[in-house]
Amino acid sequence: MRPHIILYSKSDFQAMHRAGNLAARTLDFITPHAIPGCNTGELDRLCEEYIRAHDAVPAPLNYRGFPKATCISVNHVVCHGIPNDAKVLREGDIANIDVTVILEGWHGDASRMYWIGDKVSVAAQRLTRITHESLMRGIAAVRPGNTTGDIGAAIQQHAEQGPARVVRDFCGHGIGRGFHEAPNILHYGNAGEGAELQEGMIFTIEPMINQGNAQVKVLPDGWTAVTRDRKLSAQFEHSVGVVEGGCEVFTLSPRGWHCPPYH
């Protein structure tokens, strides 16, 4: 039996726009702080303070035992990096900051890549851009009558034109009043397969693209996923809702900071 997929109303979409906008504003807010010499624990504290100052709470904190308000994944960390004061960002690093807020009972979930300093390698820049382009191709495939497989196929076809590979171990998910709902959104696959998209569906699309092969492993902390070959990984995430003729993106940057460099 397939998990029940919730179809949300127009008023629900308005609430998701408010939650998504706060998530996006949090990522805008933290941008000038993501610089060489700052540690990920401090970035996490700043994000939590900003979220709480706007009458929301960070969804990851204590979720299934996760100890921090955000996930911050640096270089070869694929996802679910745990912020800490010992992890200092260095010139040339790339980092993903993933925030989920709960505002008025609704979840806004988004992540974005950051280039640390001015000396990020050409290869890391290229991986970042390919990952963002892949996300946007996935979003362009969202419309009633298409399928979740159409999203995955669009992402995979763009991301894997070169040596990069799409991570298979993690996926996007339904979201709304719950943090993780049906359906799962795979970032690879075949067009026409999977669940049919219907008006009112809300979910995240959050491809993780590895510079090398797709294999990952989870560290003993039970959360931090890293590339097995120690090569770089990148990720972007938006929360979207299916509407007549296409979709609405709830988590676009108010500053227009969609992909680095951010100025």
Side-chain angles (χ1 to χ4, degrees):
M1 181 180 294
R2 287 187 174 183
H4 174 64
I5 297 174
I6 299 170
L7 300 181
Y8 287 99
S9 68
K10 289 183 178 180
S11 62
D12 296 336
F13 270 53
Q14 292 171 354
M16 284 296 291
H17 271 292
R18 292 192 292 272
N21 177 260
L22 178 56
R25 284 188 285 129
T26 304
L27 293 176
D28 284 355
F29 158 78
I30 204 62
T31 298
H33 300 280
I35 58 175
C38 187
N39 66 71
T40 58
E42 179 64 14
L43 294 178
D44 179 77
R45 285 189 290 273
L46 288 169
C47 286
E48 180 175 2
E49 289 170 3
Y50 185 89
I51 291 166
R52 292 188 184 279
H54 290 82
D55 300 318
V57 296
L61 186 61
N62 299 320
Y63 179 78
R64 297 181 179 175
F66 190 78
K68 296 292 182 177
T70 65
C71 299
I72 303 181
S73 304
V74 183
N75 292 336
H76 69 288
V77 178
V78 176
C79 62
H80 303 155
I82 301 174
N84 65 86
D85 291 348
K87 182 58 181 177
V88 177
L89 297 178
R90 303 189 184 282
E91 181 76 38
D93 285 346
I94 61 172
N96 175 273
I97 301 178
D98 188 343
V99 303
T100 307
V101 307
I102 306 175
L103 179 66
E104 301 168 352
W106 295 89
H107 290 73
D109 190 359
S111 83
R112 208 177 292 166
M113 293 301 296
Y114 296 83
W115 294 346
I116 309 305
D118 301 319
K119 298 178 181 179
V120 174
S121 71
V122 172
Q125 292 184 31
R126 182 174 183 273
L127 177 66
T128 302
R129 292 194 181 102
I130 287 172
T131 305
H132 183 258
E133 291 165 1
S134 298
L135 168 64
M136 299 313 293
R137 299 225 178 180
I139 290 173
V142 177
R143 66 180 66 88
N146 275 7
T147 68
T148 56
D150 292 322
I151 299 170
I155 291 169
Q156 184 179 11
Q157 287 168 12
H158 186 70
E160 296 190 349
Q161 291 179 17
R165 290 294 179 266
V166 177
V167 171
R168 269 69 166 167
D169 299 63
F170 303 97
C171 61
H173 51 88
I175 194 167
R177 287 196 174 276
F179 195 171
H180 293 91
E181 301 176 346
N184 288 336
I185 306 296
L186 304 182
H187 304 118
Y188 63 94
N190 299 314
E193 295 183 353
E196 182 177 346
L197 304 182
Q198 303 176 61
E199 288 184 52
M201 291 172 66
I202 296 176
F203 47 80
T204 70
I205 307 176
E206 47 185 295
M208 288 143 273
I209 312 297
N210 290 352
Q211 193 176 46
N213 63 53
Q215 294 183 339
V216 308
K217 65 178 180 180
V218 177
L219 298 184
D221 62 28
W223 288 101
T224 307
V226 300
T227 58
R228 283 191 174 272
D229 59 12
R230 303 287 290 186
K231 292 186 177 181
L232 297 175
S233 187
Q235 180 188 22
F236 285 88
E237 176 183 15
H238 278 309
S239 297
V240 305
V242 184
V243 297
E244 182 180 0
C247 74
E248 295 179 2
V249 182
F250 302 123
T251 47
L252 290 173
S253 164
R255 299 290 298 270
W257 290 345
H258 306 306
C259 183
Y262 305 125
H263 299 298

